[in-house]
Amino acid sequence: MKSSATIEALSEETRRFPPPPELASGANARPGIYEEAERDYEAFWASWARKLEWSKPFTKTLEWNEPFAKWFGDGELNASVNALDRHVRAGQGARVAYYYEGEPGDRRSISYAQLLAEVCRFGNALRKLGIKKGDRVAIYMPMIPELPIAMLACARIGAAHSVIFGGFSPDSIVDRVNDSQCVALVTADQGWRRGKKVLLKNNCDAAMKATPSVRTCIVARRVGDPVQMQAGRDVWWHDIVADSPIQCEPDPMNAEDLLYLLYTSGTTAKPKGIQHTTGGYLTGVTMTHKLVFDLKEDDVYWCAADIGWVTGHSYIVYGPLCNGATSIIYEGTPDFPDKDRLWEIVERYKVSILYTAPTAIRTFMKWGAQYPAKHDLSSLRLLGSVGEPINPEAWMWYREHIGRGRCPVVDTWWQTETGAIMIAPLPGITTTLPGSATLPLPGIAADVVNEQGESVPPGGGGYAVLTRPWPSMLRGIWGDEERYRQTYWSKFAHKYLAGDGCRRDAEGNYWFMGRIDDVMNVSGHRISTTEVESALIEHPKVAEAAVCGKLDGMTGQAIYAFVSLRGAESGTPGLADELRAHVGEKLGKFTQPKFVTFTQELPKTRSGKIMRRLLRDIAEGRTLGDTTTLADSTVVKELQERAASESARDEA
Ligand code: WTA
């Protein structure tokens, strides 16, 4: 285990927060739910699946051919029907699905009936463009209503969407589009971010030079600046929907048909196309959204993530819509025009449930409590956290300054691969502890195991695993069955390896400690060290590079690059910036290394392997263990000195 030191660093948290009695008495999850699920977990999930609308009811619950699961495998349903039509037919058409707020301050409120009409118009337009069931469609958009509309329209006609986060570079678009051979790319002219225009269509133009499978590029007008439109390939969203009917026959999908692909970083340079299917995924997100957030009829719910990541897929689009929730979509950053933008939005729409990330919470802490204090946040009743381990200090600050001491905080652990929340409190039942995701949800079986795969006793740390299939689990990696087996199902027999280190206390609460593989978590974004290394090595002046994560008070981890240069090149601050810009261009700005240390030589074993563990220790300023296997130990001393001065510069 690579970070055993961290895992052994047991937290001594003793604060406990039992559920508020008012919440407990009316909560969606009733006491006894854990026992009910344990008695027959398949029957438990089947009962949740039956709350969805099936055009052909399923008769089989689980077919488990490890590591391949089929859930509700002979049933048929359509995701967009479950998200929209069902509520409209039930007389809820006028209910607000989304309050949309653009960064410049433009606002729209979109009812379920309107959303359904827009989805149908776009679905018809997609069909007219020749896009059909079984195709893949890439979506690269800002946080505007057209993004969920595009996703749901794909789902309606049976095309799988592959959303690519709007912060990615053209090269990253190319890799993802080519891997799954998308036939179309949906984008916008530009988007707004911190008052600046993000050149989405330009990035697509650059990408489409190398994506032969893309026949059509659909462009939504967001900002309004002129963009290049290539005849025969590029079309405007508003043109193709102009005479499109507002009825669109949904394609009935098998429960196991692909709903979407979402690419995530692994331990190699090639991102993995995580596959999610229809019936099980919708069951998982609907159930968890209802129980973990204790969603009620009059709630205004806000997940402040980006739809480009799984959190947005599951908890801005599919979960909330299947539950008929009223949600917020906000386009921009929390500090535009000022650092109280989020709190202004909470006050304006009377948000009652807020779901955000530890990195955001730590940023709010840094900005100061005066920003939330300016606003009436009394509508809030529940707070959620996701994306990385939340430190007890941030948890308490969130509770005090945002929740004003009244709102339960639910720390939710899950992954792109799990599709839905796996480990989290049920706010009416679970006693919460600052920094712990508490317990596996009903129906979910997890464990913490040692190197041999044996369950560790209370108080011990090890690898987090899931020990039986669950409906929203990934169904594999696009085009790479072997990698799916290898990555998740090979280290321990019959256990899904999450890749996270974790400790479990005497009461069974889970305390997640971060990744144990070569994946960094920067502001909740998963970034592979190998991807950043490959990008660095592509720079003509770079001979070799090694990248690791360094603990960071704000972003969880920061990217640390050790770089050796070719021949006569010398490492200057100017070159460090050039490398940062280069990585940003290759992969996307959010992957730029915060620290760059140049070195003549990277520390290597005598067999020539870069000693990554040593570099991690150097980056984090730890005393070094055994360095006797090093080929050249003078390298290390020099690196330690340089790293120390880099860190000092950062702190100053
Ligand atoms: C981390 C985001 C601790 C973890 C939903 C996981 C967390 C990775 C938590 C997945 C949490 C997510 N506590 N760590 N509450 N939530 N993580 O795929 O390392 O973007 O493996 O999914 O984020 O990131 P992903």
Side-chain angles (χ1 to χ4, degrees):
M1 161 130 343
K2 284 169 186 156
S3 42
S4 50
T6 348
I7 288 174
E8 279 155 22
L10 305 184
S11 137
E12 295 301 329
E13 183 57 59
T14 53
R15 287 167 289 195
R16 298 281 184 285
F17 297 94
E22 333 69 81
L23 194 152
S25 61
N28 292 340
R30 307 309 310 155
I33 189 169
Y34 292 95
E35 294 78 7
E36 179 207 334
E38 270 330 279
R39 267 195 299 280
D40 185 344
Y41 81 97
E42 290 189 32
F44 174 79
W45 284 121
S47 77
W48 278 97
R50 282 192 197 98
K51 298 185 206 290
L52 296 169
E53 183 178 298
W54 297 78
S55 51
K56 175 171 177 266
F58 60 92
T59 64
K60 298 178 189 158
T61 298
L62 170 66
E63 296 153 82
W64 181 224
N65 176 18
E66 190 184 306
F68 298 98
K70 284 188 181 169
W71 282 91
F72 322 119
D74 60 347
E76 285 179 3
L77 76 173
N78 182 285
S80 77
V81 169
N82 276 282
L84 303 170
D85 307 53
R86 194 163 49 123
H87 310 308
V88 175
R89 263 190 265 115
Q92 297 290 309
R95 191 175 160 81
V96 174
Y98 291 124
Y99 288 113
Y100 173 71
E101 175 138 338
E103 194 184 76
D106 50 319
R107 294 179 198 134
R108 273 166 80 182
S109 104
I110 304 163
S111 69
Y112 273 89
Q114 288 167 329
L115 192 58
L116 173 59
E118 294 303 323
V119 166
C120 286
R121 290 170 75 204
F122 195 62
N124 286 323
L126 289 177
R127 275 190 181 140
K128 216 166 156 184
L129 289 165
I131 295 159
K132 54 184 195 315
K133 187 167 177 172
D135 284 340
R136 272 86 49 213
V137 174
I139 303 178
Y140 178 72
M141 293 189 100
M143 285 281 284
I144 56 176
E146 284 76 7
L147 170 51
I149 291 169
M151 295 163 75
L152 292 161
C154 287
R156 195 164 192 89
I157 65 164
H161 54 75
S162 172
V163 178
I164 301 170
F165 170 59
F168 274 120
S169 66
D171 282 357
S172 301
I173 303 174
V174 170
D175 293 345
R176 287 160 177 75
V177 165
N178 287 346
D179 185 63
S180 55
Q181 296 286 294
C182 297
V183 297
L185 174 55
V186 187
T187 189
D189 51 356
Q190 287 143 357
W192 288 110
R193 195 176 160 77
R194 202 168 283 123
K196 297 216 168 64
K197 296 167 188 169
V198 184
L199 306 182
L200 296 160
K201 177 60 164 62
N202 275 12
N203 287 348
C204 289
D205 289 340
M208 281 188 289
K209 295 193 173 113
T211 57
S213 62
V214 173
R215 298 190 307 256
T216 313
C217 177
I218 303 160
V219 188
R221 183 170 277 154
R222 164 61 183 140
V223 170
D225 284 356
V227 291
Q228 239 173 13
M229 297 292 279
Q230 183 179 306
R233 184 193 68 188
D234 302 349
V235 290
W236 285 106
W237 178 303
H238 56 258
D239 286 339
I240 60 169
V241 299
D243 55 2
S244 198
I246 59 163
Q247 253 109 41
C248 172
E249 197 52 42
D251 242 309
M253 303 295 282
N254 180 275
E256 284 298 334
D257 280 339
L258 188 65
L259 177 61
Y260 68 80
L261 293 173
L262 186 59
Y263 283 82
T264 188
S265 290
T267 55
T268 71
K270 188 175 187 285
K272 305 175 281 198
I274 302 299
Q275 303 179 160
H276 280 296
T277 58
T278 309
Y281 174 78
L282 292 183
T283 302
V285 297
T286 307
M287 179 277 218
T288 50
H289 183 252
K290 193 162 197 116
L291 297 190
V292 176
F293 300 108
D294 190 41
L295 184 80
K296 296 286 202 262
E297 182 80 27
D298 50 4
D299 273 315
V300 177
Y301 162 87
W302 185 14
C303 167
D306 193 293
I307 295 177
W309 306 108
V310 75
T311 304
H313 281 58
S314 298
Y315 298 109
I316 299 178
V317 183
Y318 290 108
L321 292 179
C322 284
N323 281 326
T326 294
S327 310
I328 308 283
I329 294 181
Y330 169 55
E331 177 185 34
T333 61
D335 56 351
F336 190 88
D338 203 352
K339 298 185 174 69
D340 65 342
R341 182 65 181 268
L342 261 46
W343 318 124
E344 186 190 299
I345 294 175
V346 168
E347 181 172 3
R348 176 173 313 117
Y349 299 100
K350 299 197 168 32
V351 172
S352 55
I353 305 171
L354 177 67
Y355 192 28
T356 186
T359 186
I361 297 165
R362 289 191 297 265
T363 305
F364 304 145
M365 284 173 75
K366 186 178 78 177
W367 290 343
Q370 68 274 22
Y371 291 102
K374 278 200 271 187
H375 293 276
D376 176 5
L377 306 184
S378 60
S379 56
L380 287 171
R381 66 178 199 91
L382 192 82
L383 302 174
S385 170
V386 61
E388 52 177 318
I390 180 163
N391 45 312
E393 197 194 346
W395 196 102
M396 287 302 298
W397 191 92
Y398 196 27
R399 189 186 149 84
E400 295 301 320
H401 293 282
I402 307 303
R404 312 261 156 99
R406 295 174 294 104
C407 311
V409 174
V410 293
D411 174 19
T412 64
W413 178 87
W414 59 295
Q415 310 178 293
T416 304
E417 293 87 337
T418 68
I421 299 169
M422 298 283 105
I423 300 184
L426 290 178
I429 299 178
T430 319
T431 292
T432 57
L433 306 77
S436 172
T438 71
L439 303 167
L441 290 178
I444 300 301
D447 203 354
V448 177
V449 301
N450 63 17
E451 196 65 45
Q452 286 68 48
E454 300 150 353
S455 193
V456 300
Y463 298 90
V465 295
L466 298 168
T467 55
R468 66 179 175 221
W470 63 100
S472 64
M473 66 188 280
L474 77 165
R475 299 301 198 269
I477 296 173
W478 180 263
D480 202 342
E481 192 179 307
E482 190 44 36
R483 191 173 180 195
Y484 170 62
R485 286 180 191 278
Q486 273 302 324
T487 310
Y488 305 107
W489 298 95
S490 67
K491 188 169 175 74
F492 304 118
H494 315 306
K495 294 181 171 73
Y496 166 87
L497 178 75
D500 279 12
C502 187
R503 171 179 87 83
R504 200 166 31 185
D505 66 21
E507 293 153 61
N509 293 304
Y510 285 67
W511 300 78
F512 284 91
M513 324 282 297
R515 303 288 306 183
I516 43 115
D517 52 16
D518 292 326
V519 178
M520 300 172 286
N521 189 327
V522 181
S523 300
H525 302 325
R526 277 166 71 172
I527 302 166
S528 140
T529 56
T530 328
E531 258 178 295
V532 179
E533 284 170 8
S534 317
L536 283 167
I537 291 163
E538 281 175 38
H539 190 279
K541 292 182 185 161
V542 172
E544 255 189 327
V547 167
C548 64
K550 170 178 162 65
L551 285 176
D552 186 282
M554 209 52 62
T555 58
Q557 281 187 304
I559 303 181
Y560 203 121
F562 294 92
V563 177
S564 74
L565 297 171
R566 283 176 194 281
E569 299 296 343
S570 62
T572 58
L575 181 56
D577 284 342
E578 190 179 321
L579 295 181
R580 287 188 183 102
H582 169 79
V583 173
E585 233 161 73
K586 292 253 85 149
L587 301 172
K589 266 211 173 100
F590 63 100
T591 67
Q592 290 184 347
K594 180 168 180 187
F595 301 95
V596 178
T597 293
F598 293 105
T599 171
Q600 292 283 307
E601 199 77 63
L602 290 169
K604 292 190 183 151
T605 62
R606 283 171 206 158
S607 62
K609 266 183 86 168
I610 296 175
M611 295 187 68
R612 289 165 192 286
R613 189 205 304 217
L614 189 78
L615 287 173
R616 239 177 314 221
D617 288 341
I618 292 173
E620 299 197 332
R622 278 191 291 272
T623 45
L624 304 183
D626 187 10
T627 54
T628 49
T629 51
L630 267 179
D632 175 3
S633 58
T634 55
V635 174
V636 170
K637 207 164 165 341
E638 203 181 295
L639 274 179
Q640 274 180 304
E641 280 159 16
R642 291 195 189 163
S645 69
E646 281 270 340
S647 299
R649 210 181 0 258
D650 177 49
E651 273 150 30

